[in-house]
Amino acid sequence: MNEWKLAPSLGWPVGIAIAVVMLAFAIAVVVLYVRCRADNSSDETVWACVRRCAMCLIVAVMALAPSTISTTTSRAINATNVVVATDVTGSMAVKDATYGSKDPMTRLDAAKHAVDDLTVAYPNSSFAAVRFGASSTVDVPLTPDVGAIQGWAKALNPEPTSLSAGSSLDAPIDPLLVELKSIRQAHPQDKIVLYIITDGEQTSTKVRRSYSPLRQYLDDAFTLGVGSTNGGNIPNIKAGDSDSPNTIQDGDWVKDPETGQPGVSKMDTKNLANIADEMSGKSILLDASHTMSKKTVAQASKKWRVTQVPKRHERVTAVIWPLAIALALLLAIELGAWISTSRRLL
């Protein structure tokens, strides 16, 4: 239902000033008519007095601009932006992971399933993807195209053993900082959730940097552990070319240089927990009974949910056209009366 109010288009000070002046003119018209009728010094009729007084009052009202107020309510949506960083080091090719069943699979395959489930668990959200290993890159900038993220995950391959220089868990920090800062600046009202999928293994001799600088841009964060604490042999991964992916030969293991035996990689739950703690987040270990289903995500955090904030908007529409028509008619009558009087006086 529309409401009425005064909304002077020239502002209240100017509108009030014009209204006061026109009201004074209306009073002056009445006073002059009464005085002139008392001493018979004018032949002005009552109709002429009313007409002129009405014109002054109409202009006064028009200056105050009577308007209708129509209200609408919209819902401002704070969307969720999900950033996924996936480990593709050689240890992610170890076949000791499970995801939703007891069937063994590689850690990277478990990561791929997790990414697919995340796209389902976060409807109407945007996604960005980072891959890290010997180097770290933002493969998919923030996009609402879920298919792009699913295609990216499907195409992930563990990096060749020849490129490996030891797993360094802090590899994705720098590109994540740049991407998260960019998202926060472009969408300051949105929620940002980070998922880091890795086995948590740190084989590099360098001291790992802290993930705490990422915290300033995040609303929530998780480390998703893939693999097992029992571990498995690390396959020797041969580099492919532009037409074929990297290949893994059964029974061809990476050798431990100290023992000469096949190297064993184990999921490091302590590192996963520490990284999550540095981001004020939570660590989740994925296995046969723990997957990134919508239920699991909802239980882990309620901050990611799309929030709707009602906002009321008012539209002010000045309604002065009826007054303008009335004023035009009175002016036309006044002009006609003036012409008639002028001819009589000739």
Side-chain angles (χ1 to χ4, degrees), residues 18-338:
I18 295 175
V20 168
V21 170
M22 298 311 298
L23 182 60
F25 284 164
I27 295 173
V29 168
V30 175
V31 171
L32 287 174
Y33 171 76
V34 172
R35 288 183 178 180
C36 291
R37 292 293 291 177
D39 56 13
N40 294 322
S41 59
S42 173
D43 60 352
E44 182 182 12
T45 64
V46 174
W47 164 235
C49 176
V50 171
R51 185 174 65 240
R52 292 162 187 168
C53 183
M55 286 190 292
C56 294
L57 293 177
I58 289 174
V59 174
V61 175
M62 290 175 67
L64 297 177
S67 307
T68 59
I69 307 298
S70 56
T71 60
T72 58
T73 301
S74 64
R75 293 189 177 275
I77 298 177
N78 294 332
T80 301
N81 301 314
V82 181
V83 180
V84 181
T86 303
D87 187 350
V88 293
T89 55
S91 62
M92 291 294 286
V94 175
K95 197 173 183 179
D96 67 339
T98 55
Y99 189 89
S101 72
K102 294 184 179 181
D103 297 331
M105 63 182 71
T106 67
R107 297 172 185 178
L108 191 56
D109 285 339
K112 294 178 181 181
H113 287 304
V115 173
D116 284 341
D117 283 349
L118 285 174
T119 60
V120 175
Y122 287 88
N124 303 317
S125 299
S126 295
F127 294 84
V130 175
R131 171 174 46 86
F132 66 96
S135 61
S136 182
T137 59
V138 178
D139 288 341
V140 184
L142 189 68
T143 175
D145 184 0
V146 174
I149 298 298
Q150 293 173 336
W152 166 81
K154 186 177 181 180
L156 285 175
N157 277 309
E159 66 184 9
T161 304
S162 59
L163 295 180
S164 179
S167 299
S168 181
L169 287 176
D170 59 9
I173 291 179
D174 291 334
L176 281 174
L177 271 173
V178 174
E179 182 67 12
L180 292 174
K181 182 179 180 181
S182 174
I183 294 172
R184 179 60 72 197
Q185 290 177 340
H187 310 280
Q189 302 302 320
D190 288 1
K191 303 293 185 183
I192 302 179
V193 184
L194 172 63
Y195 285 91
I196 298 177
I197 310 176
T198 178
D199 54 23
E201 189 177 44
Q202 169 87 10
T203 59
S204 173
T205 57
K206 295 181 180 179
V207 177
R208 179 180 66 81
R209 291 181 294 160
S210 172
Y211 276 73
S212 57
L214 304 181
R215 193 166 49 203
Q216 60 186 310
Y217 303 114
L218 297 173
D219 293 284
D220 216 346
F222 300 89
T223 55
L224 304 182
V226 289
S228 69
T229 54
N230 294 328
N233 294 338
I234 307 172
N236 187 22
I237 306 168
K238 297 182 179 179
D241 53 33
S242 58
D243 297 322
S244 61
N246 301 335
T247 57
I248 301 174
Q249 185 69 38
D250 290 340
D252 185 9
W253 312 113
V254 174
K255 298 294 193 299
D256 186 331
E258 295 183 359
T259 65
Q261 297 298 315
V264 177
S265 170
K266 298 180 180 180
M267 179 174 63
D268 193 324
T269 57
K270 184 177 179 180
N271 278 339
L272 291 167
N274 288 340
I275 292 173
D277 184 64
E278 290 164 7
M279 299 184 295
S280 299
K282 184 178 180 180
S283 177
I284 300 175
L285 304 182
L286 303 178
D287 54 31
S289 57
H290 297 87
T291 65
M292 293 313 298
S293 64
K294 191 169 185 178
K295 181 180 179 181
T296 303
V297 172
Q299 290 175 342
S301 174
K302 295 181 180 179
K303 298 178 183 179
W304 63 268
R305 296 183 181 276
V306 174
T307 57
Q308 296 187 2
V309 182
K311 290 187 178 181
R312 189 181 180 210
H313 302 274
E314 292 187 348
R315 182 179 179 182
V316 180
T317 305
V319 184
I320 60 174
W321 61 268
L323 299 174
I325 292 175
L327 180 61
L329 290 174
L330 292 175
L331 286 173
I333 295 172
E334 183 70 20
L335 179 61
W338 178 78

